Amino acid sequence: MRVQIADMDLEQIHLSGQCFRWERLGEGRYRIPAFGRSLVAEQRDGFFEFSCSAREFDEVWRFYFDLDRDYGAIKRQIDPKDLYLNKAAAFGGGVRVLRQELWEVVFSFIISQNNHIPRIRQNINTLCAWFGGGLPSPAALACEKPETLRKLGLGYRAEYLCAAGGFFSDASYLSALKELPYPQSKEALQRIKGIGPKVADCICLFGLHQVEGFPLDTHIKRILREEYPKGFPFERYQGYAGILQQYMFYYDLFGKKEPR
């Protein structure tokens, strides 16, 4: 199907550090695995082509791309005096916070610790290949030995993945976590070995779609230090600061150079 979508750019989403299993097939064209399905999406001349029926798009992919949220309205609410944030939103305004599967986000962001995007993708692809080509289930990781995963290049993260697999094998834990408000879900996630405040915030933002989550990695900490020495105005942007964080993160990565 072919459709126009405002405030969305596939290349920007792919490079924004929130999803790691998208496969780039060519300029503006990606294979996107999610919910046990595979979508080929292409962006060209202001239109999007999706390899699915209109019904599947409305039932699955509209939700995944968060298309029922008005990102244009969010950008219009940015303080006009905040020159930095306006530049960031203008530059990376096609980034959307995807509604990904919770387990995939937990799995990905445990691997992301002290890692960079190309290597995160490599680690994830290696693990998926080891487990037969798809994302390993929590139960599969819970039964695996950390020593095996360390040999696959996971290092100290191997033990954390196995521990998370044990927690998320329990369907009741998964369901309960989805019902918690942001502060409590962030706290609950940090009870899992290897998940600290930053990874917990990433899981809240990208896996639970709690868009008030505001992960503090080295990029964002430096931005806050340099651009907001008196503090970021969280009260003004209550309820969606995490979306603004994505604009800031993307702008810091690519604002002074062309995306790769």
Side-chain angles (χ1 to χ4, degrees):
M1 64 168 290
R2 189 169 188 259
V3 65
Q4 277 188 302
I5 301 172
D7 306 300
M8 185 165 97
D9 187 292
L10 296 177
E11 179 85 349
Q12 290 184 3
I13 294 171
H14 174 62
L15 295 171
S16 66
Q18 61 173 300
C19 52
F20 303 101
R21 291 204 300 145
W22 284 29
E23 179 186 356
R24 194 174 193 269
L25 303 176
E27 185 176 352
R29 192 165 183 261
Y30 297 89
R31 180 177 288 110
I32 302 170
F35 309 117
R37 302 170 185 253
S38 179
L39 177 77
V40 175
E42 183 171 5
Q43 180 176 354
R44 190 178 302 278
D45 301 325
F47 285 86
F48 293 83
E49 294 272 0
F50 299 104
S51 65
C52 65
S53 66
R55 179 176 178 178
E56 180 182 325
F57 181 81
D58 284 335
E59 291 179 351
V60 178
W61 301 105
R62 173 175 293 279
F63 172 83
Y64 177 78
F65 289 113
D66 198 29
L67 296 185
D68 291 325
R69 187 185 301 274
D70 188 345
Y71 280 69
I74 289 172
K75 286 182 276 190
R76 288 191 294 273
Q77 292 178 53
I78 295 173
D79 184 351
K81 297 178 182 178
D82 189 332
L83 300 181
Y84 176 82
L85 192 50
N86 276 282
K87 286 180 182 178
F91 183 82
V95 175
R96 285 176 168 265
V97 177
L98 302 173
R99 290 181 175 269
Q100 301 181 73
E101 293 175 272
L102 176 57
W103 168 244
E104 178 165 356
V105 173
V106 173
F107 174 84
S108 299
F109 280 92
I110 287 176
I111 292 173
S112 78
Q113 296 180 69
N114 297 314
N115 218 339
H116 54 78
I117 292 174
R119 192 164 184 270
I120 296 166
R121 290 193 181 119
Q122 179 184 344
N123 287 153
I124 289 173
N125 289 338
T126 299
L127 269 176
C128 289
W130 174 262
F131 282 95
L135 193 74
S137 68
L141 280 175
C143 293
E144 194 56 81
K145 294 181 179 179
E147 306 87 70
T148 302
L149 301 187
R150 278 196 286 270
K151 291 177 183 177
L152 296 175
L154 272 297
Y156 66 88
R157 305 170 192 87
E159 189 175 354
Y160 301 161
L161 280 174
C162 294
F167 272 89
F168 284 89
S169 295
D170 182 348
S172 62
Y173 177 81
L174 193 65
S175 299
L177 189 61
K178 290 179 179 179
E179 296 300 319
L180 293 175
Y182 165 62
Q184 284 85 354
S185 58
K186 180 178 178 179
E187 180 183 353
L189 284 163
Q190 290 180 79
R191 296 176 194 147
I192 301 173
K193 186 174 183 178
I195 295 182
K198 181 254 183 177
V199 171
D201 259 329
C202 287
I203 295 169
C204 289
L205 178 58
F206 303 125
L208 294 169
H209 208 75
Q210 295 172 334
V211 292
E212 61 266 53
F214 197 88
L216 294 173
D217 71 341
T218 54
H219 295 272
I220 298 300
K221 285 179 180 178
R222 181 172 51 76
I223 292 168
L224 296 182
R225 186 171 62 249
E226 294 177 358
E227 302 292 338
Y228 301 94
K230 295 182 180 179
F232 187 78
F234 286 103
E235 289 187 6
R236 180 185 177 99
Y237 305 119
Q238 190 170 10
Y240 58 92
I243 294 173
L244 303 181
Q245 186 267 9
Q246 278 289 275
Y247 297 150
M248 295 159 68
F249 180 79
Y250 183 81
Y251 184 55
D252 193 65
L253 283 182
F254 301 113
K256 296 181 173 63
K257 57 185 176 182
E258 291 297 315
R260 298 186 298 275

